Amino acid sequence: MSLPLEDFYEDIIGKAQRGLGISDTDLLAQSELTSEQLQQAHDGICEEETARKLATALNLGAEALIACGQKSWHPSISSLPEHFWQLTTDYQDIMTVNAYVAAHPDTREALIFDSGADAQPILDILEQNDLQAVALLITHSHGDHVVEVPRLKQELAIPVYAVENGAECDHTFTWGNTLTLAGFEIECRRTSGHAADGTTFAFNLGGQSIAITGDALFAGSMGGANDHWREALTNTRKNILSLPDTTLCCPGHGPVTSVALEKQNNPFFA
């Protein structure tokens, strides 16, 4: 069953407005909307003329924003590659969060990306497929992505890799490095902005290019970055959307998408 999109029309408008530091008063002046029209947009009501004016004022792709408002787009990823799993768990009854497992078909060794809110599905996948986990890699250190790191370390006795030292980090790396783990060559790409330590892990599995993006990029949206908006946009364009169009983008929340789909349908980048 496909996951719903992480963000709605009103979420995208709000993220863009906060990121650009534009008040409602300024947005009304720039967009030439009425207060009622802007309030409707904030309430999730999508009127095409309003959406186009907001897209211009907020540097968003108009067609992509309208499609989001009309709920007419969802990434068309029907299945994931063999030996790769997306595991979605509930975090504090307020959201769902994704973790991922990638297994090398020859070695049967596996990598874990983020911990999710509950480590049990990860442990189940390893056991059901007779896999040996060798490392846990962290996209960023926000609580919903690392809350189960201590449990995974204790039960699997594996090292944790992150871009900067933390209480549960055993090995650090520098953005631009390539890690060789479990038979994979993993590029560590800088995608800070939403989080200071934001990292995207890019690798190849059975001929399929995969990018674990954390909260730098969602299907049709991105993580909030109120204080580092330009940084977030620049890093995502440079270090995620520069990957091959067929690359699967595997976010920290919501469904899996692709570089090509995000170039065409993400209001922040379309």
Short mmCIF file of all heavy atoms in Angstrom, two decimals, residues 41-92:
data_model
loop_
_atom_site.label_atom_id
_atom_site.label_comp_id
_atom_site.label_asym_id
_atom_site.label_seq_id
_atom_site.Cartn_x
_atom_site.Cartn_y
_atom_site.Cartn_z
N ALA A 41 -6.20 29.63 1.00
CA ALA A 41 -5.01 28.86 0.65
C ALA A 41 -4.38 28.24 1.88
O ALA A 41 -4.00 27.06 1.87
CB ALA A 41 -4.01 29.75 -0.08
N HIS A 42 -4.29 29.01 2.94
CA HIS A 42 -3.74 28.48 4.19
C HIS A 42 -4.63 27.37 4.77
O HIS A 42 -4.15 26.51 5.51
CB HIS A 42 -3.57 29.59 5.22
CG HIS A 42 -2.37 30.46 4.98
ND1 HIS A 42 -1.13 29.95 4.65
CD2 HIS A 42 -2.21 31.81 5.03
CE1 HIS A 42 -0.27 30.94 4.51
NE2 HIS A 42 -0.89 32.08 4.73
N ASP A 43 -5.90 27.39 4.41
CA ASP A 43 -6.83 26.36 4.86
C ASP A 43 -6.84 25.14 3.93
O ASP A 43 -7.59 24.19 4.16
CB ASP A 43 -8.25 26.93 4.97
CG ASP A 43 -8.40 27.91 6.12
OD1 ASP A 43 -7.56 27.88 7.04
OD2 ASP A 43 -9.34 28.73 6.07
N GLY A 44 -6.04 25.20 2.87
CA GLY A 44 -5.94 24.06 1.97
C GLY A 44 -6.90 24.09 0.80
O GLY A 44 -7.01 23.09 0.07
N ILE A 45 -7.59 25.20 0.60
CA ILE A 45 -8.50 25.32 -0.53
C ILE A 45 -7.72 25.86 -1.72
O ILE A 45 -7.17 26.96 -1.66
CB ILE A 45 -9.68 26.26 -0.19
CG1 ILE A 45 -10.46 25.70 1.01
CG2 ILE A 45 -10.59 26.44 -1.40
CD1 ILE A 45 -11.49 26.67 1.57
N CYS A 46 -7.67 25.10 -2.78
CA CYS A 46 -6.86 25.46 -3.95
C CYS A 46 -7.73 26.05 -5.05
O CYS A 46 -8.52 25.33 -5.67
CB CYS A 46 -6.09 24.24 -4.45
SG CYS A 46 -5.10 24.58 -5.92
N GLU A 47 -7.58 27.33 -5.29
CA GLU A 47 -8.16 27.99 -6.45
C GLU A 47 -7.01 28.28 -7.41
O GLU A 47 -5.99 28.82 -7.01
CB GLU A 47 -8.85 29.30 -6.04
CG GLU A 47 -10.02 29.13 -5.08
CD GLU A 47 -11.21 28.46 -5.73
OE1 GLU A 47 -11.25 28.42 -6.99
OE2 GLU A 47 -12.11 27.98 -5.01
N GLU A 48 -7.19 27.92 -8.68
CA GLU A 48 -6.08 27.97 -9.62
C GLU A 48 -5.47 29.36 -9.73
O GLU A 48 -4.24 29.51 -9.71
CB GLU A 48 -6.53 27.49 -11.00
CG GLU A 48 -5.38 27.43 -11.99
CD GLU A 48 -5.75 26.75 -13.30
OE1 GLU A 48 -6.67 25.92 -13.29
OE2 GLU A 48 -5.10 27.06 -14.31
N GLU A 49 -6.28 30.39 -9.83
CA GLU A 49 -5.74 31.75 -9.96
C GLU A 49 -4.93 32.13 -8.72
O GLU A 49 -3.85 32.71 -8.83
CB GLU A 49 -6.88 32.75 -10.18
CG GLU A 49 -6.39 34.19 -10.35
CD GLU A 49 -7.52 35.18 -10.53
OE1 GLU A 49 -8.69 34.75 -10.59
OE2 GLU A 49 -7.23 36.39 -10.61
N THR A 50 -5.45 31.79 -7.56
CA THR A 50 -4.74 32.07 -6.32
C THR A 50 -3.42 31.32 -6.28
O THR A 50 -2.37 31.87 -5.92
CB THR A 50 -5.59 31.66 -5.11
OG1 THR A 50 -6.77 32.45 -5.07
CG2 THR A 50 -4.83 31.84 -3.80
N ALA A 51 -3.45 30.04 -6.64
CA ALA A 51 -2.24 29.22 -6.62
C ALA A 51 -1.17 29.79 -7.54
O ALA A 51 0.02 29.80 -7.20
CB ALA A 51 -2.57 27.79 -7.00
N ARG A 52 -1.57 30.27 -8.72
CA ARG A 52 -0.59 30.82 -9.65
C ARG A 52 0.05 32.09 -9.09
O ARG A 52 1.26 32.31 -9.23
CB ARG A 52 -1.24 31.11 -11.01
CG ARG A 52 -1.62 29.85 -11.76
CD ARG A 52 -2.07 30.14 -13.19
NE ARG A 52 -2.50 28.90 -13.84
CZ ARG A 52 -1.68 28.00 -14.34
NH1 ARG A 52 -0.36 28.19 -14.29
NH2 ARG A 52 -2.16 26.90 -14.92
N LYS A 53 -0.73 32.93 -8.46
CA LYS A 53 -0.18 34.16 -7.87
C LYS A 53 0.75 33.83 -6.71
O LYS A 53 1.81 34.45 -6.56
CB LYS A 53 -1.32 35.07 -7.42
CG LYS A 53 -2.10 35.68 -8.57
CD LYS A 53 -3.20 36.60 -8.07
CE LYS A 53 -3.92 37.28 -9.25
NZ LYS A 53 -4.99 38.19 -8.77
N LEU A 54 0.37 32.85 -5.90
CA LEU A 54 1.23 32.45 -4.78
C LEU A 54 2.52 31.82 -5.29
O LEU A 54 3.60 32.06 -4.74
CB LEU A 54 0.48 31.48 -3.87
CG LEU A 54 -0.62 32.09 -3.01
CD1 LEU A 54 -1.41 30.99 -2.31
CD2 LEU A 54 -0.02 33.05 -1.97
N ALA A 55 2.41 31.02 -6.33
CA ALA A 55 3.61 30.38 -6.89
C ALA A 55 4.61 31.42 -7.35
O ALA A 55 5.82 31.30 -7.11
CB ALA A 55 3.22 29.47 -8.05
N THR A 56 4.14 32.47 -8.01
CA THR A 56 5.03 33.54 -8.46
C THR A 56 5.68 34.24 -7.28
O THR A 56 6.90 34.48 -7.28
CB THR A 56 4.25 34.56 -9.32
OG1 THR A 56 3.72 33.89 -10.47
CG2 THR A 56 5.14 35.71 -9.76
N ALA A 57 4.90 34.56 -6.27
CA ALA A 57 5.43 35.29 -5.11
C ALA A 57 6.38 34.45 -4.28
O ALA A 57 7.31 34.99 -3.65
CB ALA A 57 4.26 35.78 -4.25
N LEU A 58 6.19 33.12 -4.28
CA LEU A 58 6.96 32.24 -3.39
C LEU A 58 8.00 31.41 -4.13
O LEU A 58 8.58 30.49 -3.56
CB LEU A 58 6.00 31.32 -2.63
CG LEU A 58 5.02 32.01 -1.69
CD1 LEU A 58 4.00 31.02 -1.13
CD2 LEU A 58 5.76 32.71 -0.54
N ASN A 59 8.23 31.72 -5.41
CA ASN A 59 9.23 30.99 -6.21
C ASN A 59 8.92 29.50 -6.30
O ASN A 59 9.81 28.66 -6.19
CB ASN A 59 10.64 31.20 -5.65
CG ASN A 59 11.07 32.65 -5.71
OD1 ASN A 59 10.71 33.39 -6.63
ND2 ASN A 59 11.84 33.08 -4.72
N LEU A 60 7.67 29.17 -6.50
CA LEU A 60 7.23 27.78 -6.63
C LEU A 60 6.80 27.50 -8.06
O LEU A 60 6.41 28.41 -8.80
CB LEU A 60 6.06 27.51 -5.67
CG LEU A 60 6.34 27.68 -4.18
CD1 LEU A 60 5.03 27.60 -3.39
CD2 LEU A 60 7.32 26.64 -3.69
N GLY A 61 6.85 26.23 -8.44
CA GLY A 61 6.34 25.82 -9.75
C GLY A 61 4.83 25.82 -9.73
O GLY A 61 4.22 25.09 -8.94
N ALA A 62 4.22 26.64 -10.58
CA ALA A 62 2.78 26.82 -10.53
C ALA A 62 2.01 25.54 -10.84
O ALA A 62 1.08 25.18 -10.11
CB ALA A 62 2.36 27.94 -11.49
N GLU A 63 2.39 24.85 -11.91
CA GLU A 63 1.64 23.66 -12.29
C GLU A 63 1.76 22.58 -11.22
O GLU A 63 0.79 21.87 -10.92
CB GLU A 63 2.12 23.12 -13.63
CG GLU A 63 1.98 24.10 -14.79
CD GLU A 63 0.56 24.61 -14.96
OE1 GLU A 63 -0.39 23.82 -14.74
OE2 GLU A 63 0.40 25.79 -15.32
N ALA A 64 2.95 22.45 -10.65
CA ALA A 64 3.15 21.45 -9.59
C ALA A 64 2.37 21.82 -8.34
O ALA A 64 1.79 20.95 -7.68
CB ALA A 64 4.64 21.33 -9.26
N LEU A 65 2.31 23.10 -8.02
CA LEU A 65 1.54 23.54 -6.84
C LEU A 65 0.05 23.29 -7.05
O LEU A 65 -0.65 22.83 -6.13
CB LEU A 65 1.81 25.02 -6.57
CG LEU A 65 1.12 25.60 -5.33
CD1 LEU A 65 1.63 24.92 -4.06
CD2 LEU A 65 1.35 27.11 -5.24
N ILE A 66 -0.45 23.57 -8.24
CA ILE A 66 -1.87 23.33 -8.53
C ILE A 66 -2.18 21.85 -8.44
O ILE A 66 -3.21 21.44 -7.87
CB ILE A 66 -2.23 23.90 -9.91
CG1 ILE A 66 -2.16 25.42 -9.89
CG2 ILE A 66 -3.62 23.43 -10.34
CD1 ILE A 66 -2.18 26.06 -11.25
N ALA A 67 -1.32 21.01 -9.00
CA ALA A 67 -1.55 19.56 -8.93
C ALA A 67 -1.58 19.09 -7.48
O ALA A 67 -2.39 18.22 -7.12
CB ALA A 67 -0.45 18.82 -9.70
N CYS A 68 -0.71 19.67 -6.67
CA CYS A 68 -0.73 19.32 -5.24
C CYS A 68 -2.04 19.75 -4.62
O CYS A 68 -2.67 18.99 -3.88
CB CYS A 68 0.46 19.98 -4.54
SG CYS A 68 0.48 19.72 -2.76
N GLY A 69 -2.47 20.98 -4.91
CA GLY A 69 -3.71 21.50 -4.34
C GLY A 69 -4.92 20.71 -4.78
O GLY A 69 -5.88 20.54 -4.02
N GLN A 70 -4.88 20.20 -5.99
CA GLN A 70 -5.99 19.40 -6.51
C GLN A 70 -5.86 17.92 -6.17
O GLN A 70 -6.73 17.13 -6.54
CB GLN A 70 -6.06 19.58 -8.03
CG GLN A 70 -6.41 21.00 -8.45
CD GLN A 70 -6.39 21.21 -9.96
OE1 GLN A 70 -5.84 20.39 -10.70
NE2 GLN A 70 -6.98 22.29 -10.42
N LYS A 71 -4.78 17.58 -5.49
CA LYS A 71 -4.50 16.20 -5.08
C LYS A 71 -4.54 15.24 -6.28
O LYS A 71 -5.07 14.13 -6.20
CB LYS A 71 -5.47 15.75 -3.99
CG LYS A 71 -5.33 16.53 -2.69
CD LYS A 71 -6.29 16.04 -1.63
CE LYS A 71 -6.02 16.68 -0.27
NZ LYS A 71 -6.07 18.15 -0.26
N SER A 72 -3.96 15.71 -7.39
CA SER A 72 -4.00 14.93 -8.63
C SER A 72 -2.67 14.24 -8.94
O SER A 72 -2.56 13.58 -9.97
CB SER A 72 -4.38 15.83 -9.80
OG SER A 72 -3.43 16.87 -9.99
N TRP A 73 -1.68 14.40 -8.06
CA TRP A 73 -0.38 13.78 -8.32
C TRP A 73 0.08 12.95 -7.13
O TRP A 73 -0.10 13.33 -5.98
CB TRP A 73 0.70 14.83 -8.63
CG TRP A 73 2.04 14.20 -8.88
CD1 TRP A 73 2.46 13.60 -10.03
CD2 TRP A 73 3.11 14.05 -7.94
NE1 TRP A 73 3.74 13.09 -9.87
CE2 TRP A 73 4.16 13.36 -8.59
CE3 TRP A 73 3.30 14.42 -6.60
CZ2 TRP A 73 5.37 13.05 -7.97
CZ3 TRP A 73 4.50 14.11 -5.98
CH2 TRP A 73 5.52 13.43 -6.66
N HIS A 74 0.67 11.80 -7.45
CA HIS A 74 1.31 10.93 -6.47
C HIS A 74 2.42 10.21 -7.21
O HIS A 74 2.24 9.84 -8.37
CB HIS A 74 0.32 9.93 -5.88
CG HIS A 74 0.83 9.22 -4.65
ND1 HIS A 74 1.66 8.12 -4.73
CD2 HIS A 74 0.63 9.45 -3.33
CE1 HIS A 74 1.94 7.70 -3.50
NE2 HIS A 74 1.33 8.50 -2.64
N PRO A 75 3.59 10.02 -6.59
CA PRO A 75 4.69 9.37 -7.33
C PRO A 75 4.32 7.97 -7.78
O PRO A 75 3.79 7.17 -7.01
CB PRO A 75 5.84 9.36 -6.33
CG PRO A 75 5.19 9.48 -4.99
CD PRO A 75 3.98 10.34 -5.21
N SER A 76 4.62 7.69 -9.04
CA SER A 76 4.20 6.41 -9.64
C SER A 76 5.31 5.37 -9.51
O SER A 76 5.81 4.85 -10.51
CB SER A 76 3.85 6.63 -11.11
OG SER A 76 4.93 7.27 -11.79
N ILE A 77 5.69 5.08 -8.27
CA ILE A 77 6.68 4.03 -8.00
C ILE A 77 5.90 2.81 -7.52
O ILE A 77 5.37 2.80 -6.40
CB ILE A 77 7.71 4.46 -6.94
CG1 ILE A 77 8.37 5.78 -7.34
CG2 ILE A 77 8.73 3.36 -6.72
CD1 ILE A 77 9.20 5.71 -8.60
N SER A 78 5.79 1.81 -8.36
CA SER A 78 4.92 0.67 -8.05
C SER A 78 5.58 -0.37 -7.15
O SER A 78 4.90 -1.10 -6.41
CB SER A 78 4.45 -0.01 -9.34
OG SER A 78 5.57 -0.45 -10.10
N SER A 79 6.92 -0.46 -7.19
CA SER A 79 7.61 -1.45 -6.38
C SER A 79 9.04 -1.01 -6.13
O SER A 79 9.58 -0.18 -6.87
CB SER A 79 7.59 -2.82 -7.06
OG SER A 79 8.28 -2.76 -8.30
N LEU A 80 9.64 -1.57 -5.12
CA LEU A 80 11.03 -1.29 -4.78
C LEU A 80 11.92 -2.41 -5.29
O LEU A 80 11.46 -3.53 -5.52
CB LEU A 80 11.18 -1.13 -3.27
CG LEU A 80 10.40 0.02 -2.63
CD1 LEU A 80 10.65 0.05 -1.12
CD2 LEU A 80 10.74 1.35 -3.27
N PRO A 81 13.21 -2.14 -5.45
CA PRO A 81 14.11 -3.19 -5.94
C PRO A 81 14.18 -4.38 -4.98
O PRO A 81 13.92 -4.24 -3.78
CB PRO A 81 15.47 -2.48 -6.02
CG PRO A 81 15.16 -1.03 -6.03
CD PRO A 81 13.91 -0.86 -5.25
N GLU A 82 14.54 -5.50 -5.52
CA GLU A 82 14.77 -6.67 -4.67
C GLU A 82 15.93 -6.36 -3.73
O GLU A 82 16.86 -5.64 -4.08
CB GLU A 82 15.11 -7.87 -5.55
CG GLU A 82 15.12 -9.20 -4.81
CD GLU A 82 15.39 -10.38 -5.73
OE1 GLU A 82 15.66 -10.16 -6.93
OE2 GLU A 82 15.31 -11.52 -5.24
N HIS A 83 15.84 -6.87 -2.52
CA HIS A 83 16.87 -6.68 -1.49
C HIS A 83 16.87 -5.26 -0.91
O HIS A 83 17.87 -4.82 -0.35
CB HIS A 83 18.28 -7.01 -2.00
CG HIS A 83 18.37 -8.33 -2.70
ND1 HIS A 83 18.13 -9.53 -2.06
CD2 HIS A 83 18.68 -8.64 -3.98
CE1 HIS A 83 18.28 -10.52 -2.91
NE2 HIS A 83 18.61 -10.02 -4.08
N PHE A 84 15.73 -4.55 -1.05
CA PHE A 84 15.63 -3.19 -0.50
C PHE A 84 14.25 -3.02 0.11
O PHE A 84 13.24 -3.37 -0.50
CB PHE A 84 15.86 -2.16 -1.60
CG PHE A 84 15.86 -0.74 -1.11
CD1 PHE A 84 16.92 -0.23 -0.39
CD2 PHE A 84 14.77 0.10 -1.39
CE1 PHE A 84 16.92 1.08 0.05
CE2 PHE A 84 14.76 1.41 -0.95
CZ PHE A 84 15.85 1.90 -0.23
N TRP A 85 14.20 -2.45 1.33
CA TRP A 85 12.94 -2.33 2.07
C TRP A 85 12.78 -0.93 2.66
O TRP A 85 13.72 -0.35 3.20
CB TRP A 85 12.88 -3.34 3.22
CG TRP A 85 12.92 -4.77 2.80
CD1 TRP A 85 11.84 -5.59 2.56
CD2 TRP A 85 14.08 -5.57 2.56
NE1 TRP A 85 12.26 -6.84 2.20
CE2 TRP A 85 13.64 -6.88 2.19
CE3 TRP A 85 15.46 -5.34 2.63
CZ2 TRP A 85 14.51 -7.90 1.90
CZ3 TRP A 85 16.34 -6.37 2.33
CH2 TRP A 85 15.87 -7.63 1.97
N GLN A 86 11.56 -0.42 2.55
CA GLN A 86 11.15 0.80 3.26
C GLN A 86 10.29 0.37 4.44
O GLN A 86 9.31 -0.36 4.28
CB GLN A 86 10.34 1.72 2.34
CG GLN A 86 9.88 3.01 3.02
CD GLN A 86 8.88 3.78 2.17
OE1 GLN A 86 7.88 3.22 1.71
NE2 GLN A 86 9.13 5.06 1.96
N LEU A 87 10.66 0.84 5.64
CA LEU A 87 9.96 0.44 6.86
C LEU A 87 9.41 1.70 7.53
O LEU A 87 10.16 2.59 7.92
CB LEU A 87 10.93 -0.30 7.78
CG LEU A 87 11.57 -1.52 7.10
CD1 LEU A 87 12.81 -1.97 7.84
CD2 LEU A 87 10.57 -2.64 6.98
N THR A 88 8.09 1.74 7.66
CA THR A 88 7.41 2.94 8.15
C THR A 88 6.79 2.67 9.51
O THR A 88 6.06 1.69 9.69
CB THR A 88 6.32 3.37 7.15
OG1 THR A 88 6.91 3.56 5.86
CG2 THR A 88 5.67 4.66 7.60
N THR A 89 7.10 3.53 10.48
CA THR A 89 6.61 3.36 11.84
C THR A 89 6.02 4.67 12.36
O THR A 89 6.35 5.75 11.86
CB THR A 89 7.72 2.88 12.78
OG1 THR A 89 8.89 3.71 12.61
CG2 THR A 89 8.11 1.44 12.48
N ASP A 90 5.15 4.56 13.36
CA ASP A 90 4.51 5.73 13.95
C ASP A 90 5.41 6.36 15.00
O ASP A 90 5.97 5.67 15.86
CB ASP A 90 3.19 5.34 14.60
CG ASP A 90 2.14 4.91 13.59
OD1 ASP A 90 2.07 5.56 12.52
OD2 ASP A 90 1.43 3.93 13.85
N TYR A 91 5.50 7.68 14.94
CA TYR A 91 6.31 8.42 15.91
C TYR A 91 5.40 9.29 16.77
O TYR A 91 4.79 10.24 16.29
CB TYR A 91 7.34 9.29 15.19
CG TYR A 91 8.23 10.09 16.12
CD1 TYR A 91 9.19 9.45 16.91
CD2 TYR A 91 8.11 11.47 16.21
CE1 TYR A 91 10.00 10.18 17.76
CE2 TYR A 91 8.92 12.20 17.06
CZ TYR A 91 9.87 11.55 17.83
OH TYR A 91 10.68 12.28 18.69
N GLN A 92 5.28 8.92 18.03
CA GLN A 92 4.53 9.68 19.03
C GLN A 92 3.10 10.01 18.59
O GLN A 92 2.53 11.03 18.98
CB GLN A 92 5.28 10.96 19.38
CG GLN A 92 6.64 10.71 20.03
CD GLN A 92 7.37 11.98 20.41
OE1 GLN A 92 6.96 13.09 20.03
NE2 GLN A 92 8.44 11.86 21.16
#
